[in-house]
Amino acid sequence: MLRVMSRSLVPDAVERYVAMEISRETPLQRRLREETSHLPLAGMQIGADQGALLAMLVRLMGARRAIEIGTFTGYSALAVASALPAGGKLVCCDVSEEWTSIARRYWKEAGVADRIQLKLAPASETLAALIRDGGTGTFDFAFIDADKSNYDAYYEACLRLLRAGGLIALDNMLWSGRVADPQFHDDDTDALRALNAKIRDDARVDACLMTVGDGVMLAQKRPPQ
Ligand SMILES: C[S@@+](CC[C@H](N)C(=O)[O-])C[C@H]1O[C@@H](n2cnc3c(N)ncnc32)[C@H](O)[C@@H]1O
C-alpha cells in the first residue's frame, strides 16, 4: 500500500483525495513512486498532482526545450519529458549518481530517454555552461527543485536561458508555510522568502504563487521593455 507523503498545507484527507483518487498517474509513474517511497528522502519527490501540472504547462506552451534543476529519482523529469513532442529536449541537473540511476531506468522504460540529457554536476556549473555555449533565450520551460539557498541564482540563470514568454516553475516556495511566519529564520526559509518577494517585484516576469503541493511559483518571462 502506497503511503501519501504530506507535502501541502491542505488537510491530510484532502491531500490523500487529490493524490490517490483524483490525480491520474501512468502505471510506470506509480511504480516509480512506489520504488522511491522506500528511500529515506522519498518526501523530496513531487506529488502526482504537481507532475500533472508540469506536464499540462509544457503541453499548453508547446514547449520543445526544457531545463530541470533537481532530478532525484526522475518523477518530474518523466512528467515533463513525456509531455514534450518527439525531438524535444530536457536538460536535467543533479549531483547524485545513485538517485539518477533509478531515474534513467524509468526514462528508458517510458521511451523518453533520448529526450533527456542528464548533467551530473552542480547545477550552477551546468547552467553557466549552457549560457556560455549559446543557450541564452533558447529554452521554453524550466523547473527548479534543488538546493534552496541557490534558488535565486538558478532563477537568474533560467531567466537568461528562457525565451520571452518562457515559464519558470519553482517548487517549495511555501516551505511548509515557514515563509509566511516573519519570526521564523533559517538560511533556506530566508532565501525562499526573499525570492518570493523579489519575484513579486520583478518587472521582467509575470508571476503567480500557486498553493499546490508545497507552493509552486510560476514566473513567465516578459518580452524586453
Ligand atoms: C527535491 S529533490 C528533486 C525532486 C525531483 N524533482 C522529483 O520530482 O522527484 C532535489 C534534488 O536536487 C539535487 N541537488 C541538490 N543540490 C544540487 C546542486 N547543487 N546541483 C544540482 N542538483 C542538486 C539533489 O541531489 C536531489 O536529487
Side-chain angles (χ1 to χ4, degrees):
M1 166 82 174
L2 197 51
R3 270 188 315 124
V4 179
M5 295 281 166
S6 177
R7 287 183 186 79
S8 80
L9 296 169
V10 300
D12 286 352
V14 179
E15 183 155 4
R16 213 167 20 251
Y17 171 75
V18 172
M20 307 299 283
E21 287 190 47
I22 295 305
S23 297
R24 196 187 297 168
E25 283 187 309
T26 64
L28 191 67
Q29 283 177 312
R30 218 174 154 66
R31 240 194 304 133
L32 172 53
R33 184 172 300 291
E34 217 297 302
E35 180 168 349
T36 305
S37 73
H38 300 292
L39 299 177
L41 292 176
M44 294 205 297
Q45 186 177 55
I46 61 165
D49 52 336
Q50 290 176 281
L53 172 67
L54 296 178
M56 184 174 286
L57 291 170
V58 165
R59 279 192 300 267
L60 279 172
M61 300 180 69
R64 299 188 64 82
R65 283 167 60 77
I67 309 168
E68 171 175 275
I69 301 160
T71 294
F72 190 40
T73 59
Y75 190 97
S76 49
L78 180 60
V80 168
S82 303
L84 291 172
K89 180 177 163 183
L90 170 63
V91 178
C92 283
C93 306
D94 207 289
V95 286
S96 169
E97 170 66 49
E98 184 191 341
W99 288 331
T100 56
S101 65
I102 298 173
R104 284 184 196 274
R105 270 196 279 117
Y106 283 87
W107 298 340
K108 189 163 176 223
E109 200 175 332
V112 297
D114 59 334
R115 298 177 196 174
I116 301 178
Q117 213 180 350
L118 174 62
K119 303 280 192 184
L120 280 180
S124 50
E125 289 176 17
T126 300
L127 295 171
L130 288 172
I131 291 169
R132 207 172 42 241
D133 296 345
T136 299
T138 67
F139 286 86
D140 305 295
F141 181 79
F143 179 51
I144 300 177
D145 187 19
D147 46 325
K148 308 309 166 196
S149 54
N150 277 319
Y151 260 39
D152 195 337
Y154 299 152
Y155 172 71
E156 288 296 332
C158 287
L159 259 188
R160 290 179 70 178
L161 288 163
L162 286 192
R163 63 166 168 86
L167 188 72
I168 306 176
L170 303 97
D171 197 21
N172 304 113
M173 295 300 277
L174 288 175
W175 209 224
S176 304
R178 291 189 286 274
V179 290
D181 177 358
Q183 306 306 322
F184 189 94
H185 295 283
D186 65 20
D187 289 350
D188 288 344
T189 307
D190 289 343
L192 294 176
R193 191 186 289 123
L195 184 56
N196 274 329
K198 170 177 161 168
I199 293 174
R200 176 197 63 205
D201 298 335
D202 191 343
R204 298 171 298 174
V205 298
D206 291 302
C208 166
L209 176 51
M210 303 178 70
T211 55
V212 61
D214 189 28
V216 177
M217 174 69 89
L218 298 180
Q220 185 177 30
K221 183 172 174 177
R222 288 175 167 168
Q225 304 294 311

